[in-house]
Amino acid sequence: MSRVARYHADRTNQKLYFARLAISQAEKTQHQEKQAYQEAAVSHLYQSIFAFLQELVRYYQLSDSQPTLISVSQKMAQKGQVSPEILVLESLFKSGFLAELSTAYHHCLYAPVPHVPEYEGEASSQLIIKVTQTPQAWLPDTAILREWHQEIMALFDGFRNEMVEF
């Protein structure tokens, strides 16, 4: 039985595939369509982390229908084990590309607080308000999305290659 079938890696791979499709479409479109594809890519990339956590749960034979980093870590501790994959993921969520992805995902869920332009005093420039951010300025561009996609794929491939039967 292949590893993909045995640990249900197909869902993780599917999420990464959907993200790649959304990134490709974002590169081809403009304006609101582009934003829709960028947000879809962010969501699929973020969700691929949780799909991979399901793989880990199956690999380590844990009972957790909705795994999180914390729940997997706790269940591993109950078995007297440590998951090196969880340690790496926790580190990347604290400072790394997964921290940036998490921030982008939360911005997709909750709109960032709008920037209120301030007047620059009583000068004549008071009539001109300088606004440099667009409403989608918080969205990562497609180059960053593509980079995150590649980093996640490399990360998961590395994890999968290191997983050995115990």
Side-chain angles (χ1 to χ4, degrees):
M1 179 183 291
S2 77
R3 196 197 134 17
V4 169
R6 186 163 187 190
Y7 300 116
H8 304 277
D10 52 340
R11 184 63 177 160
T12 307
N13 294 342
Q14 188 178 46
K15 284 296 184 185
L16 291 170
Y17 174 70
F18 291 162
R20 186 169 52 87
L21 288 178
I23 294 166
S24 294
Q25 289 300 316
E27 291 171 336
K28 297 175 188 175
T29 60
Q30 295 297 319
H31 309 298
Q32 289 179 334
E33 274 187 58
K34 182 174 185 152
Q35 179 184 356
Y37 287 122
Q38 286 172 300
E39 287 194 30
V42 167
S43 294
H44 287 301
L45 289 172
Y46 192 76
Q47 292 166 17
S48 73
I49 306 297
F50 294 94
F52 182 74
L53 289 177
Q54 288 180 311
E55 283 183 57
L56 287 179
V57 163
R58 290 179 181 109
Y59 177 75
Y60 288 117
Q61 300 173 352
L62 306 172
S63 62
D64 193 347
S65 61
Q66 297 178 339
T68 63
L69 292 172
I70 294 169
S71 70
V72 173
S73 183
Q74 288 172 344
K75 292 198 182 284
M76 291 295 290
Q78 290 171 354
K79 291 175 77 171
Q81 298 176 326
V82 175
S83 167
E85 299 88 0
I86 295 297
L87 295 176
V88 170
L89 289 171
E90 285 174 339
S91 172
L92 289 172
F93 267 110
K94 287 179 185 167
S95 64
F97 75 97
L98 291 183
E100 295 169 7
L101 174 61
S102 180
T103 300
Y105 179 76
H106 289 287
H107 283 312
C108 288
L109 294 177
Y110 306 104
V113 177
H115 172 71
V116 179
E118 296 180 20
Y119 293 111
E120 296 178 1
E122 295 295 325
S124 62
S125 66
Q126 181 177 4
L127 301 174
I128 301 172
I129 299 173
K130 299 174 185 173
V131 180
T132 57
Q133 290 193 344
T134 65
Q136 299 85 18
W138 56 268
L139 268 172
D141 66 18
T142 54
I144 291 172
L145 291 171
R146 192 164 293 285
E147 182 180 317
W148 288 347
H149 181 266
Q150 290 170 349
E151 289 185 56
I152 289 173
M153 285 185 56
L155 183 67
F156 292 169
D157 286 345
F159 287 158
R160 290 170 177 162
N161 289 335
E162 295 297 321
M163 288 179 177
V164 291
E165 293 294 328
F166 59 93

